[in-house]
Amino acid sequence: MSASIGFAAQADLLDAIDRWQRWLMTEKAASPATLRAYNNDLAGFLSFMAEYRERKPGLNDLSALSLMELRAWLSDRARDGATAATRARAIAGVRNLFRWLDRQGIIHNPHIGVLKAPKLKQPIPRPLTAPDAASLLDEAATLPETAWIGLRDRAFFTLLYGCGLRISEALALNRDDLPVGAATVRVLGKGSKQRQVPVLPAIHAAISAYLEACPFRAAEDAPLFVGSRGDRLHPSVARRQMQLLRGQLLLPDSATPHALRHSFATHLLGGGADLRAIQDLLGHSSLSTTQRYTDVDTDKLLAVYDKAHPRAQK
C-alpha cells in the first residue's frame, strides 16, 4: 500500500508503514477519509525529511530526528500556506505513526511527544434560527421535480435537525435501524461509538411519507436514504440539495446539513436542556466541545438584550 502512493522512505520504514496502516484499518477501524489524510500528511513529512537529510529516511532516521528538525518541517508547511488546522492534523497523523512504532518496540523518539501543535480557535457553531429551520423543512419537499425525492430530502433534513445527527451518521442508517414508531435510533458515531437518540413523531411521519413514495422496494437491511438510482444517498447530493434550498429561501451560506445538527443543540440549550444531556445526544467525547453552544446562546441573549432592554437603548 505505501509504495503505491510514493512514500520517500527506505525499505524498513516502508514495511513498518504497511503494518501501521493495517493496524489502523483492522484494530482502530479508521475510516477511508482518515487513512487518506494520514497517508497524505505522512507522504509530505517523509518527502521533506528526504530533502532535508538528502536521503530517503529509514527507521533509524526517524529515531534520530531532533526537535529542531521536526519544527523545521512545520515551518516549511507554514511557508507553503498550510493553515494551523492543516498543520495540527499533520502532526496528529505523523505522531500516530511514531507512537505505534514506539508501542511495537521498533523505535523511540522522545521529541515527537513534545512537538507542539498550533493553537486552534474553535469556530462558534452557526445554527439556523428556529423559524428558518422550520421553513427549510416545510419547503424541502417542494423543490425537486420528482415528488419522492422531495419527500426524501424533507425526511433526511428532519432527521438531522430532530436527532442532531452528523450527515455521515444519517446516511449510514439502514431501514431496519429505524423501525416505524421506534422511540430511539441507535447511531454509530465517530470512533465507532454507539449512542441512542430519541426519535420524535414528526421524524417518523416524514420518513414514513418518504418510504411510502419511494419507488425502490428494498429489504429491511437496505439503505434508509437512497439516490435516484436506488443506491445509498451520497453526501454530495444531500449538500447540493441543501444548497439549492437555501438559495430559494435566501438563507446564508452557513445553512448546511451540518448546521441542522448545530441548530438541534442550540435550540435544545435555549429551551433549557442540560448541557450533559446534549453532550450525550450529540455523541461528543468531551464536554468542552459541547460547551461551544453556550457561546452561541450567550450571543443570542446579548443580541436580545441590546435590542429590547430599556437601558440598552440609551
Side-chain angles (χ1 to χ4, degrees), residues 24-312:
L24 285 173
M25 288 186 289
T26 58
E27 298 296 325
K28 302 301 290 182
S31 69
T34 297
L35 290 172
R36 283 194 301 271
Y38 278 8
N39 285 343
N40 289 338
D41 291 330
L42 180 59
F45 169 74
L46 294 176
S47 178
F48 172 81
M49 289 303 167
E51 184 176 350
Y52 192 86
R53 291 201 161 199
E54 299 183 339
R55 67 174 184 275
K56 290 183 177 181
L59 288 172
N60 288 337
D61 293 295
L62 261 60
S63 178
L65 281 177
S66 67
L67 185 58
M68 183 185 70
E69 289 174 304
L70 291 168
R71 286 173 175 166
W73 162 58
L74 285 184
S75 296
D76 184 72
R77 295 299 313 276
R79 283 193 297 270
D80 285 343
T83 64
T86 299
R87 283 177 279 142
R89 188 200 66 194
I91 292 175
V94 171
R95 184 177 283 150
N96 191 292
L97 171 63
F98 273 80
R99 286 176 174 171
W100 179 85
L101 292 170
D102 196 353
R103 287 194 297 267
Q104 297 298 311
I106 298 174
I107 68 162
H108 172 71
N109 186 313
H111 304 299
I112 192 68
V114 297
L115 181 65
K116 293 184 178 179
K119 290 186 177 180
L120 301 179
K121 183 179 180 181
Q122 289 289 341
I124 295 177
R126 300 173 66 184
L128 282 71
T129 65
D132 281 347
S135 296
L136 187 144
L137 299 182
D138 288 341
E139 296 296 323
T142 67
L143 184 62
E145 293 183 2
T146 306
W148 78 267
I149 289 181
L151 292 172
R152 177 204 66 193
D153 292 347
R154 174 184 287 170
F156 182 68
F157 296 143
T158 299
L159 180 64
L160 295 183
Y161 178 53
C163 290
L165 303 190
R166 301 178 178 93
I167 186 172
S168 58
E169 294 169 345
L171 292 179
L173 292 175
N174 293 330
R175 295 193 179 198
D176 56 1
D177 291 325
L178 191 53
V180 176
T184 62
V185 59
R186 185 175 62 181
V187 180
L188 187 64
K190 287 185 176 180
S192 298
K193 294 180 180 178
Q194 293 187 356
R195 67 184 189 278
Q196 295 287 134
V197 181
V199 181
L200 300 169
I203 298 174
H204 279 299
I207 291 177
S208 295
Y210 149 61
L211 291 178
E212 185 176 344
C214 180
F216 302 102
R217 303 301 175 186
E220 287 300 305
D221 59 353
L224 177 58
F225 295 105
V226 297
S228 58
R229 297 182 179 179
D231 299 324
R232 191 179 297 274
L233 184 63
H234 195 274
S236 63
V237 175
R239 294 189 181 99
R240 185 187 67 223
Q241 295 299 96
M242 175 65 85
Q243 182 180 9
L244 295 172
L245 192 56
R246 72 170 179 250
Q248 178 170 301
L249 297 175
L250 302 179
L251 296 177
D253 290 344
S254 58
T256 63
H258 197 69
L260 292 173
R261 173 174 161 88
H262 293 327
S263 305
F264 165 84
T266 305
H267 298 166
L268 280 180
L269 184 64
D274 178 73
L275 200 60
R276 286 284 185 184
I278 297 175
Q279 177 190 3
D280 291 340
L281 291 172
L282 292 174
H284 286 161
S285 57
S286 170
L287 184 62
S288 62
T289 304
T290 316
Q291 285 173 330
R292 292 183 301 156
Y293 294 103
T294 62
D295 297 331
V296 178
D297 208 49
T298 300
D299 288 344
K300 180 181 176 182
L301 289 174
L302 289 174
V304 171
Y305 174 88
D306 289 338
K307 183 177 180 180
H309 196 284
R311 286 294 180 186

Side-chain angles (χ1 to χ4, degrees), residues 1-11 13-19 21-22 39 42-43 46 56:
M1 179 187 293
S2 58
S4 65
I5 64 170
F7 283 133
Q10 296 179 25
L13 180 51
L14 290 176
D15 179 69
I17 291 172
D18 274 332
R19 293 164 55 195
Q21 290 171 329
R22 287 195 294 270
N39 285 343
L42 180 59
L46 294 176
K56 290 183 177 181

